[in-house]
Amino acid sequence: MRKNILSNIAVSGVEPFPPMELGAAFVLNRRGRPGPARYTRRGTMAQALTKTKTAVLLAFAGSMCSASAFAGVLYVNATAAHGGTGATWSAAFRDLQSALAVAGSGDEIWVARGTYRPAVSPANNGRAASFALRTGVGIYGGFVGTETTRQQRDWIVNPTILSGDLLGDDGENWTNRTDNSFQVVTAVNLGHCTLDGVTVSGGHADGVALGATPASQDQGSGMNVYDSWPQVSNVIFERNYAVNHGAFNDHGNSTLVGCTFRYNYAGMLGAGLYMHFEAATSATNCVFTYNETPEDGAGVYTRSYVGSRVTDSTFTLNAANHGASVYVADGSNPTIADCTFTSNTAFNGGAGVFSKFAFPTVQRCTFTGNEAGLGDLTGAGGGGGSGGGGFWASGGNPLVEDCTFTGNSATFGAGVYFNEGSVGQALRCRFTDNLANEAGGLYALLSDVTVINCTFISNTATGGQFPVGGGMSAYFANVFVTGCTLDGNSAGLGGGGMYVEGETPLITASVFTRNYTTWDDQGWGGGLLMGFHTTGQIVSSVFVGNTAQRGGGIASAVLAEPQIINCTIVGNTSTAADARGGGIHTLAAQVPTVANTVVWGNAPFNISGPMDVSYSVVQGGAAGTGNISDEPRLMRYPSAGADGTWGTADDDLGDLRLLPGSVCIDAGDSNAVPARALTDVAGLARISDDPSIAGQSPAAPVDIGAHEFAGVSCPQDFDGDGDAGTDTDIEQFFRCLAGDCCDTCKGTDFDNDGDAGTDADIESFFRVLAGGGC
């Protein structure tokens, strides 16, 4: 017979834990359950022989039915008769503690629906009682009590509840909790073990605080893990309370799959899941919702420096001071991948992820509708020193890549906020419809930040006293921005697309389109505002259809001394009554530099204010060396469309590549090109000589504008109207041969051989119309 079966700690059947009135509707979508974990029996034949004859026979019969039902299955059912041996469903234990007392490595415990408590009452130190897992033992809930294989169970339909509410009297707002177990489940000094398909609730860790030791009773209210390797799957941790941290406190190497953390509370850290220094925790396909702490990390708090992971998980409606969803503590280096963060609230910073002097990698995550440190977004006031609706980093080396930030709000940096010396990277991210007092999309403060191939669309900086940087803002930060697109962003005061102040930022190969300022009395730099003490460079970038009171494309403030090099600034507008430069406007004690740049078709004037212009094409002309006033001959000029308003459906952003014969080709000053900006806006080599044109610059022949001429492969859209090979293309081609070329036409040297208007050009034109090449 089995040895020393505990006297029955019978608890009469109770109803499942009732939902608490928390003042907010909560709907949990039913999740598909993953298949049962592959099980490998541990232990020796000698151990097996110590089992009863009945258990051995049951094991043999079970193995004939399924790989999931075999020797060593113990059965638990809260409605079973007293005195059961656990050998069958009909002779099941009434309580889980009895099964754990006799289980050995390799055993499985199957637990039927119902509520199970680790002790009968709080008397005789019952609050210290817990369901203590055992090495090699798997606990599986979700059974009706008739199943013959583990695959037949349904842990959602048949909830198996492990409850720390010893008297069954828990009330709202954590009342009637003086009887509750400090920790409902524990795993201490164990090898591999399993907990699967149960709900863990009612833990109340308000006992003695002894630090990072299993004896502490102020942490791990739902499950407390030390130096163990539990596999935790399909487990719901709900309504657990910890004075310190963690409904799930991991000082081991836990693997969590398909778990849900909801309505948990921690007085300090990690209301849902807490990972300690040496915890190589992995959480996959988990849900964190309605967890709360007045301090840090309502969903997850990690200080692991051995590579914890949170993947394919969802965070919704969590609330904390910092890191409402995830808090990454000093020195931690987690991977957070393929997760979704929605409607979380951080009262200070980082509603999605908060990183403090840490090294997180955040990949392929989506941040939507999160809010952090929100100030007054309607006008006066401000939030003051907080933000990061999606992601916040203070110091460290964070990496954010392939992420999407949509509809987040914050005081600063509604999408991403890097500060306090962060050496951060944002790669291939998308920022859309985010809202902040400053920096609707991304904010870099006193940090060295790299932003590569990111897209900023319709982000807004409004409210407060200094609403700048609708798409992005950098304040005394040496940002490197390249390959980015900023379209349709807005700011009240300035920098509808981007605001930069201080240091020496470098912006290359980026596109600023249809950005604008909103203040009536002021509004500087619809595309880009270079603020005080800025000596940065804007290189090989495009500015089209941007609007501001002053400096529709670019504005440069007092004490700023930026360099604008190899840019194309076309079709931007200044709306001020005093008619400042639509393309570039400067107001500076130091004089900004403009070199190798096209400034054309801006209204009402192309440039205004003091600036040193050289080797540039400026409509109306500009004083300086190497400047040209002739039409630059671009493939297709941009247009606001028939309605004359940028930001509407009929906008045409144009094609700003150079046509053959453009005055821009080989006419720039290559000495002005920065060493870190050797590609054009399309990613082509920045200096590419056209052998058919004699170089006009004193050095190697770089082209003027954002695009380096790469040749034209006989375009059929000759009239530049967007329709290729039509009757109007043919008509315009011959009109141009007769000397009547339109502004957007592609010349008469159609075959690009250096001779214009020859029979070969005509032949080449019709060959292309017929589908051939030049």
Side-chain angles (χ1 to χ4, degrees), residues 13-98:
V14 295
E15 293 298 317
F17 195 92
M20 298 175 69
E21 296 290 337
L22 296 180
F26 171 71
V27 177
L28 178 65
N29 293 329
R30 177 168 173 163
R31 302 176 59 87
R33 302 181 309 284
R38 187 174 299 277
Y39 184 87
T40 302
R41 180 176 173 85
R42 295 173 61 88
T44 65
M45 183 61 71
Q47 290 173 315
L49 291 176
T50 64
K51 306 297 182 181
T52 65
K53 180 178 180 181
T54 301
V56 172
L57 291 174
L58 283 171
F60 176 76
S63 66
M64 297 299 291
C65 297
S66 167
S68 295
F70 46 87
V73 174
L74 298 170
Y75 300 88
V76 178
N77 191 332
T79 63
H82 289 284
T85 64
T88 64
W89 281 123
S90 60
F93 290 122
R94 285 176 58 90
D95 61 276
L96 178 56
Q97 293 287 33
S98 295

Side-chain angles (χ1 to χ4, degrees), residues 550-619:
R550 298 168 180 85
I554 300 174
S556 178
V558 174
L559 302 179
E561 198 174 2
Q563 298 176 1
I564 303 168
I565 304 168
N566 279 106
C567 292
T568 299
I569 304 171
V570 181
N572 304 282
T573 304
S574 173
T575 60
D578 52 359
R580 302 301 177 94
I584 305 172
H585 174 69
T586 68
L587 182 64
Q590 290 80 22
V591 178
T593 298
V594 180
N596 304 340
T597 292
V598 174
V599 190
W600 199 271
N602 304 283
F605 300 106
N606 283 283
I607 59 175
S608 62
M611 64 188 81
D612 181 3
V613 184
S614 63
Y615 296 97
S616 296
V617 174
V618 181
Q619 188 174 15

Side-chain angles (χ1 to χ4, degrees), residues 279-298:
T281 313
S282 173
T284 301
N285 196 30
C286 293
V287 174
F288 299 83
T289 186
Y290 283 113
N291 301 289
E292 183 178 352
T293 175
E295 297 298 329
D296 303 328

Side-chain angles (χ1 to χ4, degrees), residues 32 54 124-125 159 163 198 224 240 266 286 338 485 495 698 726 760:
T54 301
N124 300 319
N125 203 30
S163 175
V198 302
N224 202 30
N240 299 286
C286 293
D338 302 297
T485 297
T726 64

Side-chain angles (χ1 to χ4, degrees), residues 718-738:
F718 190 75
D719 60 357
D721 66 356
D723 298 319
T726 64
D727 290 344
T728 58
D729 291 309
I730 299 172
E731 178 183 351
Q732 188 56 59
F733 178 75
F734 283 104
R735 182 178 296 146
C736 193
L737 285 177

Side-chain angles (χ1 to χ4, degrees), residues 372-385:
L374 196 61
D376 180 2
L377 295 179
T378 60

Side-chain angles (χ1 to χ4, degrees), residues 20 22 24-27 174 177 237-241 261-265 271 288-292 318:
M20 298 175 69
L22 296 180
F26 171 71
V27 177
W174 312 108
R177 287 261 175 161
F237 295 90
E238 67 177 4
R239 299 185 176 97
N240 299 286
Y241 180 106
F261 295 80
R262 63 192 187 196
Y263 299 113
N264 300 291
Y265 177 91
F288 299 83
T289 186
Y290 283 113
N291 301 289
E292 183 178 352
N318 301 287

